[in-house]
């Protein structure tokens, strides 16, 4: 080294020594600053070096270093602190006997280097790096609601993730189905940006763009924010979202509900389906298996054809066509056969059967179906199964054989598939009724409904012998019910009412007798119905109404009284013959009872007997009367 170079080195060393002696802040040799970490809103404790003693801090200056420019913010003189005017003026205070400077209500703007410089006994300084942290809010995610087409040539926006009010800026990671996504040319692109709020906090906005495939139609996307706090590293996740993915259909098919065997009356849905999104425009056509004629059916916008109720005409081969309105490509489904099982045209021969009593009648049932049929004959009014098979033979017909017969045609292989046909059998005969006479209890001067029912073939008509409004009601093909409303008068009580049923083969009559009910019976309209319950043309036994019991009671009472009188007469006669009774004696005799049994009743007995016969009469005390006493005698009954 030459002389000029040596001189320069000496001068440089001297200059450095002078600057250190002068105490210029920040010029003291210092290793890495001490790191202090705090969260936003808390208090930062800045210590002016761990090795200093109490005497070193009687004269200390605190500086804030921003962009390598120190600014005095706090002075310590004689262990007394004083803030300098500015942004820290009301947030600084001394702690730990002046060794620590406390900075309250830390904000992101407070993140910088702080320097403390002691003046005595020599110039010393300590540098502190303050790091500020703030956890971001829960991330929000918004999916692309418009959807992404798989035919797009460039990555399309999938979702946007936003993390608000964090410090420093958090890191974002995108996930698909739980796997992290990384940048991939022309496939995946992540674009992030941040905004500094007035508070100094950051709002992060990250947009995920990607090219999606058909397999991504159910993919779950979410974002994750990674950030640091004094306690360590942390993370927050958004909710999962799906994105509509549009792709053309590759296949079209048909589905039928319900699944299984179909029958007439069912509700059937024929539904077109495709594996594209959005689905193509559907149309449904049906081909008649016999004529091969194809007819387009009317389906709704979702490609659903509803058959309700299903009929045999709906059977056929159905096909679905899907038209992509974007590419104009057309797809056809496989044909599917729809079979609606049916039973129809149940017929009975003869249609209106009629016959004479004692004769025979044959009923035959026929029906149509695409399956094997079974037949049953049932009686309408009882439901009893009379015959299994299409033919019902009725022999030795009687009047009660008339009425309804039901033929049921069913398909054993299709549960619930059956049809019935009702036919009424008419037996020729004059009208018949259940009873010939009937008694009805009524109240005088009240209105009463009298009814009468008759059956026969031809169907009879009913007339009444009394005036009044009559109303006829059909009870069946061969039965009629007539109701007449009449006023109960003395004349009607005497004559009764006559119901006459007649047809071309004869007539029949029922007489209704009206009798007054007891006074304690409830008054009001009374209805009497006489009908052909036994179907015996007036020869059936009537179930009588109970009659009043007053006459029977009188007869019994009279008989009992006569018996009592007869027994009493016999007893009196017995005592008379024995001489115990003073009957027919002259004179009077007093019969005295003991004093305890005396009463106020006295019976005078006159006797025409001889005096010697009077000795039979004694008083209650056993004394005999004188035989010559001819005066009137008294019997004193004291009890």
């Amino acid at each position: 080294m030459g002389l000029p170079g040596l001189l320069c080195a000496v001068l440089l060393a001297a200059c450095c020594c002078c600057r250190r002696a002068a105490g210029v802040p920040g010029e003291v040799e210092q290793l890495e600053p001490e790191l202090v970490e705090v969260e936003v809103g808390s208090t930062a404790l800045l210590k002016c070096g761990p090795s200093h003693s109490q005497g070193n801090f009687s004269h200390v200056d605190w500086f804030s270093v921003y962009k390598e420019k120190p600014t005095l913010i706090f002075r310590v003189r004689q262990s007394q602190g004083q803030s300098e005017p500015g942004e820290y003026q009301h947030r600084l205070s001394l702690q730990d006997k002046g060794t620590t400077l406390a900075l309250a209500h830390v904000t992101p703007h407070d993140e910088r280097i702080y320097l403390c410089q002691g003046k005595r006994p020599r110039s010393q300084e300590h540098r502190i790096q303050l790091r500020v942290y703030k956890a971001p809010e829960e991330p929000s995610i918004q999916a692309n609601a418009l959807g992404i087409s798989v035919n797009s040539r460039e990555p399309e926006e999938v979702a946007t993730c936003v993390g608000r009010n964090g410090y420093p800026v958090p890191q974002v990671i995108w996930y698909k189905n739980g796997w992290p996504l990384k940048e991939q040319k022309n496939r995946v692109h992540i674009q992030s940006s941040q905004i500094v709020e007035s508070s100094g906090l950051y709002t992060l906005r990250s947009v995920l763009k990607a090219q999606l495939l058909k397999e991504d139609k159910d993919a779950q996307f979410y974002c994750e924010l990674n950030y640091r706090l004094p306690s360590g590293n942390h993370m927050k996740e958004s909710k999962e979202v799906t994105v509509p993915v549009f792709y053309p259909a590759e296949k079209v098919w048909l589905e039928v509900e319900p699944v299984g065997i179909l029958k007439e009356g069912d509700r059937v849905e024929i539904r077109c389906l495709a594996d594209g999104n959005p689905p193509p425009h559907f149309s449904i056509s049906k081909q008649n298996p016999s004529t091969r004629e194809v007819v387009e059916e009317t389906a709704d916008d979702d490609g659903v054809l509803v058959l309700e109720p299903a009929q045999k005409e709906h059977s056929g081969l159905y096909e679905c066509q899907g038209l992509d309105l974007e590419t104009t490509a057309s797809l056809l489904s496989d044909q599917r056969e729809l079979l609606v099982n049916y039973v129809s045209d149940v017929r009975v021969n003869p249609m209106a059967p009629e016959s004479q009593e004692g004769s025979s009648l044959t009923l035959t049932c026929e029906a149509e179906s695409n399956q094997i049929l079974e037949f049953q004959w049932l009686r309408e009014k009882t439901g009893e199964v009379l015959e299994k098979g299409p033919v019902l033979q009725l022999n030795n017909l009687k009047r009660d054989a008339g009425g309804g017969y039901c033929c049921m045609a069913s398909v054993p292989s299709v549960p619930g598939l059956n049809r019935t046909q009702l036919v009424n059998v008419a037996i020729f005969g004059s009208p018949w009724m259940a009873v010939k006479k009937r008694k009805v209890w009524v109240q005088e001067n009240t209105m009463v409904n009298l009814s009468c029912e008759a059956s026969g073939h031809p169907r009879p008509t009913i007339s009444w012998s009394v005036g009044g409004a009559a109303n006829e009601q059909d009870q069946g093909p061969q039965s009629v019910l007539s109701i007449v409303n009449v006023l109960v008068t003395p004349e009607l009580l005497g004559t009764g009412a006559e119901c006459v049923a007649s047809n071309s083969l004869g007539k029949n009559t029922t007489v209704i007798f009206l009798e007054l009910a007891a006074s304690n019976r409830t008054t009001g309209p009374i209805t009497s119905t006489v009908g052909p319950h036994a179907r015996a043309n007036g020869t059936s036994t009537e179930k009588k109404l109970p009659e009043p019991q007053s006459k029977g009671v009188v007869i019994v009472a009279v008989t009992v009284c006569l018996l009592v009188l007869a027994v009493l007469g016999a007893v009196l006669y017995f005592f008379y013959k024995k001489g115990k009774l003073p009957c027919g004696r002259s004179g009077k005799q007093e019969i005295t009872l003991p004093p305890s049994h005396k009463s106020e009743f006295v019976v005078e007995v006159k006797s025409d007997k001889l005096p010697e016969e009077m000795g039979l009469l004694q008083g209650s005390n056993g004394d005999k009367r004188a035989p010559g006493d001819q005066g009137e005698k008294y019997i004193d009954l004291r009890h």
Side-chain angles (χ1 to χ4, degrees):
M1 179 182 294
L3 183 59
L6 182 60
L7 292 174
C8 289
V10 172
L11 291 175
L12 181 60
C15 181
C16 290
C17 291
C18 292
R19 289 180 62 86
R20 289 174 184 174
V24 178
E27 298 297 334
V28 180
E29 183 179 357
Q30 177 76 30
L31 297 176
E32 287 295 324
E34 179 186 356
L35 181 63
V36 175
E37 296 180 321
V38 295
E39 290 191 46
V40 170
S42 63
T43 299
L45 300 178
L46 309 176
K47 293 187 178 182
C48 194
S51 61
H52 294 159
S53 62
Q54 175 65 28
N56 299 126
F57 297 99
S58 60
H59 190 97
V60 175
D61 291 334
W62 284 91
F63 296 89
S64 167
V65 181
Y66 181 68
K67 293 183 179 181
E68 299 183 357
K69 180 181 179 181
T71 302
L72 181 64
I73 59 174
F74 199 82
R75 296 176 184 271
V76 180
R77 299 293 184 267
Q78 301 299 325
S79 299
Q80 298 296 321
Q82 177 63 44
S83 295
E84 294 294 319
E87 58 177 322
Y88 297 98
Q89 183 175 1
H90 302 292
R91 294 193 292 142
L92 295 174
S93 62
L94 285 178
Q95 293 185 7
D96 298 336
K97 298 180 181 180
T99 63
T100 301
L101 181 66
L103 174 59
H105 307 298
V106 174
T107 69
H109 301 294
D110 296 330
E111 184 175 88
R112 60 189 62 185
I113 292 177
Y114 294 87
L115 182 146
C116 77
Q117 187 178 70
K119 296 295 185 179
R120 299 172 184 175
R122 61 186 178 85
S123 179
Q124 298 177 359
E125 65 181 35
H126 182 70
R127 299 167 67 89
I128 302 171
Q129 175 66 60
L130 180 62
R131 296 291 184 188
V132 180
Y133 300 96
K134 168 70 168 62
E137 299 174 4
E138 293 290 333
S140 62
I141 188 170
Q142 183 67 42
N144 179 3
L146 299 179
I148 298 174
S149 173
V150 298
N151 297 325
S152 177
R153 297 180 178 271
E154 295 181 356
E156 296 286 340
E157 179 179 329
V158 177
T160 300
C161 179
V162 177
R164 302 182 183 277
N165 298 324
Y167 192 88
V169 180
Q171 292 183 343
V172 62
I173 300 177
W174 282 95
Y175 290 85
K176 182 179 79 171
N177 295 330
W179 294 92
L181 295 173
K182 296 182 179 180
E183 288 276 351
Q184 186 178 356
K185 187 177 181 180
N186 296 329
R187 296 292 299 172
V188 179
H189 177 61
I190 299 174
Q191 181 180 356
S192 298
S193 61
Q194 58 269 355
I195 299 174
V196 181
E197 307 291 347
S198 59
S199 61
L201 301 177
Y202 288 101
T203 293
L204 172 68
R205 184 175 184 272
S206 180
V207 179
L208 172 64
K209 296 182 178 181
Q211 276 191 325
L212 301 183
L213 305 176
K214 179 180 178 180
E215 293 75 16
D216 296 324
K217 60 185 178 65
D218 297 319
Q220 300 284 336
F221 296 90
Y222 68 93
C223 64
E224 176 186 282
L225 298 182
N226 293 287
Y227 56 95
R228 176 174 170 76
L229 294 178
S231 58
N233 294 324
H234 300 268
M235 54 86 78
K236 289 184 178 181
E237 293 179 345
S238 71
K239 65 178 182 180
E240 294 182 330
V241 295
T242 57
V243 179
V245 179
F246 302 131
Y247 48 90
E250 299 176 356
K251 182 181 178 182
V252 175
W253 67 94
L254 276 173
E255 286 187 356
V256 177
E257 293 182 0
V259 178
I261 300 176
L262 303 177
K263 65 180 182 297
E264 281 189 317
D266 288 344
R267 185 183 190 276
V268 180
E269 285 190 7
I270 302 176
R271 187 183 301 273
C272 282
L273 298 172
D275 59 353
N277 185 34
H281 175 73
F282 294 115
S283 60
I284 299 176
S285 59
K286 186 192 79 170
Q287 183 182 47
N288 192 310
S290 58
T291 64
R292 299 294 179 182
E293 181 183 2
V294 178
V295 178
E296 184 172 347
E297 301 289 342
T298 302
D300 61 16
D301 295 338
D302 296 328
V304 178
L305 174 63
V306 178
L307 308 177
E308 185 180 16
Q311 300 175 359
K312 64 179 182 178
E313 292 80 9
H314 293 142
S315 298
L317 296 174
Y318 286 82
E319 186 179 56
C320 180
Q321 180 182 22
L323 176 63
D324 193 319
L325 299 179
E326 183 178 351
T327 63
T328 67
S330 179
L331 295 173
L332 288 176
S333 69
D334 295 334
Q335 284 187 332
R336 178 154 182 181
E337 182 179 9
L338 184 72
L339 177 61
V340 179
N341 295 286
Y342 66 92
V343 176
S344 63
D345 298 331
V346 181
R347 303 175 300 278
V348 175
N349 188 31
M351 298 178 59
E354 54 186 14
S355 184
Q356 302 288 340
E357 283 190 90
S359 63
S360 298
L361 181 64
T362 301
L363 302 177
T364 304
C365 187
E366 298 177 347
E368 294 182 2
S369 176
N370 62 324
Q371 302 288 347
I372 298 176
L373 288 172
E374 286 186 355
F375 293 91
Q376 281 186 338
W377 283 96
L378 302 92
R379 190 65 192 264
E380 180 194 16
K381 61 182 179 182
T382 63
E384 177 188 2
V385 178
L386 303 177
E387 187 70 39
K388 291 186 176 181
V391 178
L392 176 63
Q393 183 69 39
L394 300 176
N395 298 317
N396 191 20
L397 292 173
K398 298 184 181 302
R399 287 194 171 187
D400 57 0
Y405 292 82
C406 183
C407 171
M408 176 185 291
S410 59
V411 178
S413 59
V414 183
L417 179 57
N418 60 73
R419 288 290 180 88
T420 59
Q421 180 63 48
L422 178 65
V423 63
N424 284 288
V425 174
I427 308 299
F428 285 104
S430 59
W432 66 97
M433 299 175 174
V435 294
K436 295 293 290 181
K437 296 180 180 180
R438 184 65 179 263
K439 188 178 294 184
V440 179
W441 303 100
V442 296
Q443 295 286 343
E444 190 173 0
N445 296 324
T446 60
M447 300 299 295
V448 63
N449 287 332
L450 304 179
S451 59
C452 181
E453 184 178 357
S455 296
H457 183 68
R459 191 174 74 90
T461 59
I462 294 179
S463 59
W464 291 87
S465 62
V466 295
N471 179 29
E472 286 194 359
Q473 301 174 5
D474 290 335
Q475 300 298 103
Q478 286 86 40
S479 299
V480 62
L481 173 68
S482 179
I483 301 175
V484 64
N485 185 259
V486 296
L487 176 65
V488 178
T489 62
E491 294 78 7
L492 186 59
L493 290 171
T495 61
E498 186 179 62
C499 164
V500 180
S502 60
N503 64 8
S504 59
L505 300 179
K507 66 178 181 178
N508 206 344
T509 303
T510 292
V511 178
I512 302 176
F513 294 99
L514 282 72
E515 291 195 9
L516 291 177
S519 59
N520 59 351
R521 293 182 181 268
T522 303
T523 59
I526 301 174
T527 302
S528 170
T529 302
V530 179
H533 306 293
R535 304 299 184 203
N537 199 17
T539 61
S540 299
T541 303
E542 177 191 7
K543 185 177 179 181
K544 300 293 185 178
L545 290 175
E547 298 185 10
Q549 305 297 323
S550 58
K551 292 184 177 181
V553 172
V554 172
I555 294 173
V556 172
V558 171
T559 303
V560 171
C561 291
L562 292 176
L563 289 175
V564 171
L565 292 176
V567 172
L568 182 60
V571 171
L572 293 176
Y573 181 76
F574 172 77
F575 281 107
Y576 173 75
K577 296 299 291 182
K578 292 295 184 177
K580 298 296 184 178
L581 293 178
C583 299
R585 301 287 183 178
S586 61
K588 299 178 182 178
Q589 183 179 0
E590 180 180 357
I591 300 176
T592 305
L593 295 176
S596 60
H597 297 88
K598 291 183 179 182
S599 67
E600 67 276 14
F601 296 101
V602 177
V603 179
E604 179 182 2
V605 179
K606 293 186 176 181
S607 177
D608 55 357
K609 296 294 182 180
L610 296 176
E612 60 272 15
E613 294 177 344
M614 294 302 294
L616 297 176
L617 296 177
Q618 299 179 0
S620 59
N621 54 6
D623 296 335
K624 294 184 178 180
R625 296 295 178 179
D629 189 359
Q630 300 295 324
E632 292 183 350
K633 306 298 181 180
Y634 290 88
I635 299 176
D636 186 6
L637 299 179
R638 302 300 180 183
H639 184 66

